[in-house]
Amino acid sequence: MAADARSDAELLIASRSDPSAFGEFYERHVGRILVFFRARVGSPEAALDLTAETFAAVLGGVGRYEPGEAPAASWLFGIARNKLSEAIREAQVQDRARRAMAMQPIEVDDEGVQLIEQRASAPALEMLGGLPPDQRAAVSARHLRELE
């Protein structure tokens, strides 16, 4: 598929009524935004979350976007900086609250994540018990093992 020749500003304006225009804008910039966050936060997961939050905010604000002399990417990175500032403030508030209660931070390794996921899926497995075997297998494959 050929790249869209429209400028970023044109894509943002078109995004108001054309989802594919936003998709093109996203594809152009998602890598740069992810790198921006990854260089500033402690984990790839946090960088991905902040990237998603940034593009959600862009999509939600596209109706207010007004092109100007600055490139549209400047508007995008301004939103990314705001999301980063919000995340830092939130982390500081959580850290102060944790310290006020004399609690240690909880460190979760891969094994811990796996255990949490297993325990979280247990009620779902119990609910599946009442389904016929073919339906139980289909629901389990799709929603618990994330297969097609």
Side-chain angles (χ1 to χ4, degrees):
M1 186 165 106
D4 196 313
R6 291 179 285 183
S7 71
D8 288 340
E10 290 169 329
L11 288 171
L12 286 172
I13 291 169
S15 294
R16 295 171 184 168
S17 60
D18 177 11
S20 66
F22 186 80
E24 175 67 25
F25 181 81
Y26 173 88
E27 288 298 323
R28 283 184 190 178
H29 297 287
V30 67
R32 294 171 58 205
I33 295 297
L34 187 56
V35 167
F36 170 83
F37 285 126
R38 187 60 185 110
R40 290 162 177 81
V41 298
S43 74
E45 293 84 4
L48 285 169
D49 288 346
L50 288 167
T51 298
E53 289 178 27
T54 297
F55 281 99
V58 168
L59 186 57
V62 78
R64 295 182 306 275
Y65 171 74
E66 290 296 329
E69 289 190 28
S74 297
W75 183 68
L76 170 63
F77 276 89
I79 292 171
R81 281 189 300 278
N82 288 341
K83 290 294 174 190
L84 180 60
S85 294
E86 289 172 15
I88 290 169
R89 279 193 302 274
E90 183 178 311
Q92 289 170 341
V93 168
Q94 290 172 355
D95 188 54
R96 280 193 298 272
R98 180 186 53 75
R99 287 175 190 265
M101 293 185 284
M103 296 175 65
Q104 295 298 316
I106 298 172
E107 300 287 331
V108 181
D109 59 10
D110 290 342
E111 185 178 319
V113 170
Q114 187 176 16
L115 179 61
I116 291 167
E117 289 174 353
Q118 287 172 347
R119 289 192 178 167
S121 67
L125 292 172
E126 291 169 13
M127 289 186 283
L128 290 177
L131 293 175
D134 60 333
Q135 291 178 4
R136 183 174 48 246
V139 171
S140 175
R142 177 69 183 116
H143 294 286
L144 299 179
R145 295 191 315 265
E146 298 179 4
L147 301 173
E148 290 298 320

